[in-house]
Amino acid sequence: MASASAVANLIRPIDISDEFLRYRHNSQAIAVFGTDISNDPVLPAAARSGLYFQNGRRAFKAKRYLDSIQEYSRCLDIHRTAPAFNNRGLAYWKAGNVDAAAQDFSDAIQLDPNDVPARLNRGNLMLGSKRFDVAIEDLTHAIDSGDRRVDIYIARGNAYRLNGDAASALHDYDTVLALAPTSPQGHVGKGGVFDDLGMLFEAKSEFTTALELAPSDTDATLALAMVLHKQRRYSESIVAFTSALKSRPTEAWIFEQRAHTYSDMGNWTQAISDYSNAIVLDPQNDMLHRLRGIAYDHQGDYSDAIADFTESIRLAPTSARGYVLRARTLVHSGNVQRSVDDLSQVIKLMPDVISLRQERAISLEQLGDYASAIVDYRLILQADPNDTNTRCYLADDETTLGQYDDAAHDYEIVSHSAPFDDGLLYGRAQLNFYTGDFRRADADLAKWQDLYRRGKIQKGDGQPYYVDIWRHIIALKLSAEHGAELDEQVGNLDSSRWPYPVLALYTGRSTVTALLSAADRSEKERRNRMCETNAYLGEWLLAHDDQAGARRNFEAASMECPANFIEKTLARRELQRMSQSSAHVAVQNSTNAVGLQFTTEERRRPPLKDSN
């Protein structure tokens, strides 16, 4: 859109003097040629050009922009002038043809490099088109030519700000305030720069001052609302957005911004309502559907979330984001296989988007398809061999499948670049546990705890509890007494959180009955807690020589644990060990009972060993 100041710069038509007046008032001429006598062949070319110019101006003022373009084009066919190009450019701009407008302004400047109106018009147009360097050049030329109006400094300040030149932007906004101390736009501009720089207190002060000068300034209100959001003053931000919507109720982005604020407050119902209002105003905006889908997902309305993500995919079929979000919601709704199918489909469309393979690998793990997850992780590492997290995930899955040599190799690679990575320490500890190297496993877990105590590891998902549990299991394997160190670790944990009841049993603070009761207490988490209880109780029973009880608990964990729980792997490995141990004992007993004689070849075979 052309600015008011740009429209005000229309140039007067070429002077055609007496000839124009003679033909305009001559009744015979009017009878022959009509009121529009610009095509009168008797008129000189300059006179006809001037009449077309004036017709273009009249049409522009009447908002008949296409007619205005036509009249200026006739004018330019006769006589190419900077004013005619400038004015036709304005008509093109108003008609929505930005490219043609830019070309006309440039042609005007080429004919007359000092044409200030054309410079201003192109500068404003380039600002809206995000060609900030050109905008700054044109606006500077206008200022240097002596046009020191406030709105030109505001426009150039905006261009500097959007181009990342904060110092120059502040200089222009300060110039505005020197020329017009009560200008709210100068304070809004300065506040925007401070906001960009993360100086939220200073930004809020400028926006507040702007509103004191002009309480109904919606731009200042919106700018203040967004700064308040960043300051996490959500309630005040909501009030400001609501105020802005009273004067601009048809702008979808304001509803969207208020919805963001509601989302950060955790008020998903209000967020959904605002996103819905924004979608009504801008129904083809795929991002709005994704954002509302996320809100539905948080609220547990999975079918509505999936519907929104599906619509976003329809609106933007080449965007991976909609597919990924729908896949995540499918997982949340328990439909992991459809999630994998979704991700597999979009990977075919965009095979080079590595993040998609990461998402699919996680879903494959939830299905227990670790072999396929390993394929995805290896493809990711082909693209980025230094991706530490992915290599740890790969090694974890190799450990789960018993591919211990491969896992050891991948953990070794990680240890060279990130020796204290928490994923490395926790994952390698499990590998060493399963291969029977309990002391090395314990050393990794002890290092994990030391880093956690020193604030080098930030985990809020209960991980410290599980690290402690595994250290206690290792102590049971080694028949070691629970030292003061382990007891101190347990004492620092919250006894009201799961899985503390497991540690309470291990340290003699509680009983098996109390542990089972705690696991059964949460209906929502019952399955997961019983999975963990069966696996860890199995270890406790095994250490207390209750082989039958341990086997029953390990079998329950092996059957009932979700596919991606490490307790499922733990239970299966312990059952395997117990079976190997039983088979070895059976062979020994059979040999002793019947005096079985081995052949030379048979004697060369190493005996089965219990890795305990």
Side-chain angles (χ1 to χ4, degrees):
M1 294 289 289
S3 67
S5 62
V7 177
N9 286 308
L10 288 166
I11 306 304
R12 292 184 178 183
I14 297 171
D15 181 15
I16 58 176
S17 192
D18 295 336
E19 285 190 283
F20 170 67
L21 295 175
R22 175 168 60 83
Y23 276 89
R24 182 178 183 187
H25 297 292
N26 187 302
S27 58
Q28 291 179 338
I30 293 173
V32 174
F33 298 108
T35 54
D36 181 2
I37 58 175
S38 54
N39 286 322
D40 183 350
V42 177
L43 285 176
R48 290 201 308 275
S49 175
L51 287 170
Y52 287 133
F53 190 101
Q54 179 165 323
N55 289 343
R57 290 186 73 222
R58 282 200 301 266
F60 188 94
K61 288 182 177 179
K63 298 184 179 180
R64 293 185 288 108
Y65 302 121
L66 295 180
D67 290 340
S68 180
I69 291 167
Q70 185 179 45
E71 295 297 329
Y72 283 124
S73 297
R74 287 174 176 173
C75 172
L76 288 164
D77 286 342
I78 298 171
H79 188 42
R80 291 168 59 87
T81 66
F85 273 118
N86 176 64
N87 289 5
R88 189 176 70 171
L90 284 172
Y92 271 127
W93 194 355
K94 282 289 191 178
N97 192 337
V98 175
D99 291 337
Q103 184 60 55
D104 270 357
F105 296 144
S106 296
D107 287 342
I109 292 168
Q110 186 174 14
L111 287 171
D112 182 4
N114 295 316
D115 189 314
V116 172
R119 289 280 188 179
L120 287 175
N121 290 332
R122 190 174 71 171
N124 285 322
L125 181 64
M126 293 297 101
L127 177 58
S129 301
K130 299 182 180 180
R131 296 178 60 184
F132 305 123
D133 290 338
V134 178
I136 291 167
E137 177 187 350
D138 283 339
L139 296 168
T140 299
H141 192 284
I143 291 171
D144 291 344
S145 297
D147 197 338
R148 291 173 53 81
R149 284 176 293 164
V150 165
D151 61 337
I152 301 176
Y153 280 106
I154 288 289
R156 192 175 69 172
N158 292 342
Y160 276 130
R161 176 194 165 196
L162 295 169
N163 206 37
D165 188 346
S168 296
L170 285 173
H171 181 270
D172 271 353
Y173 296 136
D174 282 333
T175 301
V176 169
L177 294 173
L179 293 171
T182 60
S183 168
Q185 290 85 357
H187 290 288
V188 170
K190 287 187 70 173
V193 175
F194 290 138
D195 187 7
D196 295 339
L197 296 173
M199 301 168 64
L200 300 183
F201 178 82
E202 292 81 358
K204 178 178 177 294
S205 177
E206 293 292 341
F207 297 143
T208 301
T209 300
L211 286 171
E212 289 172 352
L213 293 168
S216 61
D217 188 322
T218 306
D219 288 335
T221 302
L222 287 168
L224 177 62
M226 287 186 277
V227 165
L228 290 169
H229 182 163
K230 291 178 182 178
Q231 291 181 321
R232 299 184 180 180
R233 299 167 68 168
Y234 298 130
S235 297
E236 295 174 67
S237 178
I238 292 293
V239 170
F241 279 126
T242 303
S243 175
L245 282 167
K246 290 178 181 178
S247 59
R248 286 156 66 173
T250 60
E251 297 189 29
W253 76 271
I254 303 178
F255 280 107
E256 178 191 343
Q257 291 298 320
R258 190 172 70 174
H260 284 330
T261 306
Y262 278 126
S263 295
D264 286 345
M265 295 173 71
N267 189 339
W268 303 111
T269 300
Q270 288 298 327
I272 289 168
S273 176
D274 270 353
Y275 285 132
S276 298
N277 286 328
I279 288 170
V280 169
L281 295 167
D282 189 6
Q284 301 303 308
N285 189 324
D286 60 291
M287 185 178 69
L288 290 175
H289 285 282
R290 289 199 299 272
L291 291 170
R292 188 173 68 175
I294 292 171
Y296 276 130
D297 181 79
H298 276 285
Q299 194 164 262
D301 294 337
Y302 300 130
S303 59
D304 288 329
I306 290 169
D308 260 337
F309 296 141
T310 301
E311 178 64 9
S312 77
I313 291 168
R314 185 189 70 80
L315 293 169
T318 61
S319 172
R321 191 63 179 161
Y323 288 97
V324 172
L325 290 170
R326 186 171 70 179
R328 289 175 180 172
T329 299
L330 287 167
V331 170
H332 299 161
S333 67
N335 199 334
V336 182
Q337 184 58 61
R338 272 194 63 196
S339 171
V340 170
D341 294 342
D342 225 353
L343 292 168
S344 298
Q345 179 62 31
V346 73
I347 285 172
K348 291 179 183 178
L349 298 174
M350 290 172 278
D352 296 329
V353 181
I354 296 301
S355 61
L356 295 173
R357 295 190 181 276
Q358 182 84 46
E359 293 281 344
R360 186 171 69 175
I362 293 170
S363 290
L364 287 166
E365 289 169 342
Q366 288 190 265
L367 291 174
D369 188 355
Y370 292 99
S372 296
I374 285 172
V375 171
D376 272 341
Y377 286 137
R378 286 177 176 164
L379 286 170
I380 295 170
L381 288 169
Q382 285 181 11
D384 183 7
N386 297 319
D387 187 338
T388 298
N389 288 333
T390 295
R391 195 169 292 280
C392 273
Y393 299 152
L394 169 62
D396 292 345
D397 288 357
E398 289 167 338
T399 298
T400 299
L401 292 183
Q403 299 172 8
Y404 298 140
D405 290 341
D406 291 336
H409 174 71
D410 282 315
Y411 284 134
E412 180 66 19
I413 292 174
V414 174
S415 70
H416 291 307
S417 59
F420 304 125
D421 180 84
D422 60 297
L424 165 68
L425 296 172
Y426 191 64
R428 190 171 60 187
Q430 292 174 58
L431 170 63
N432 287 325
F433 181 92
Y434 293 136
T435 56
D437 195 342
F438 299 124
R439 296 193 184 282
R440 290 185 65 183
D442 190 61
D444 274 340
L445 296 177
K447 184 62 180 177
W448 192 102
Q449 289 180 324
D450 177 61
L451 292 170
Y452 178 76
R453 279 195 304 270
R454 291 191 286 132
K456 303 296 185 181
I457 295 176
Q458 301 294 328
K459 290 288 181 181
D461 57 357
Q463 188 86 351
Y465 295 79
Y466 293 99
V467 170
D468 224 350
I469 288 172
W470 278 76
R471 287 201 71 191
H472 277 84
I473 293 173
I474 290 170
L476 293 173
K477 295 290 187 186
L478 295 172
S479 299
E481 293 293 330
H482 296 299
E485 178 194 359
L486 291 181
D487 284 340
E488 181 183 355
Q489 293 287 343
V490 174
N492 291 330
L493 298 176
D494 183 355
S495 62
S496 65
R497 284 196 57 178
W498 182 265
Y500 183 88
V502 177
L503 288 167
L505 174 68
Y506 279 19
T507 57
R509 292 175 167 87
S510 186
T511 62
V512 172
T513 301
L515 171 59
L516 294 172
S517 176
D520 195 46
R521 196 171 298 151
S522 171
E523 183 176 350
K524 182 179 179 181
E525 296 293 330
R526 185 179 185 281
R527 181 194 178 196
N528 295 346
R529 290 187 178 185
M530 286 306 301
C531 153
E532 296 173 3
T533 295
N534 281 319
Y536 297 136
L537 181 55
E539 291 290 358
W540 187 84
L541 292 171
L542 192 63
H544 288 76
D545 295 325
D546 186 350
Q547 295 275 332
R551 183 180 294 277
R552 285 194 299 271
N553 279 276
F554 287 141
E555 287 174 346
S558 176
M559 292 292 293
E560 297 172 8
C561 280
N564 62 332
F565 271 45
I566 62 173
E567 288 80 11
K568 190 180 193 78
T569 303
L570 173 64
R572 289 182 171 180
R573 291 293 178 271
E574 292 294 31
L575 287 170
Q576 185 180 17
R577 283 178 177 171
M578 293 174 75
S579 296
Q580 290 174 343
S581 179
S582 298
H584 179 59
V585 171
V587 168
Q588 292 291 345
N589 290 340
S590 175
T591 301
N592 293 336
V594 300
L596 182 63
Q597 298 294 313
F598 290 105
T599 65
T600 304
E601 181 63 27
E602 287 170 334
R603 288 182 183 278
R604 289 176 181 166
R605 297 174 185 166
L608 295 172
K609 294 193 296 182
D610 184 346
S611 58
N612 289 343

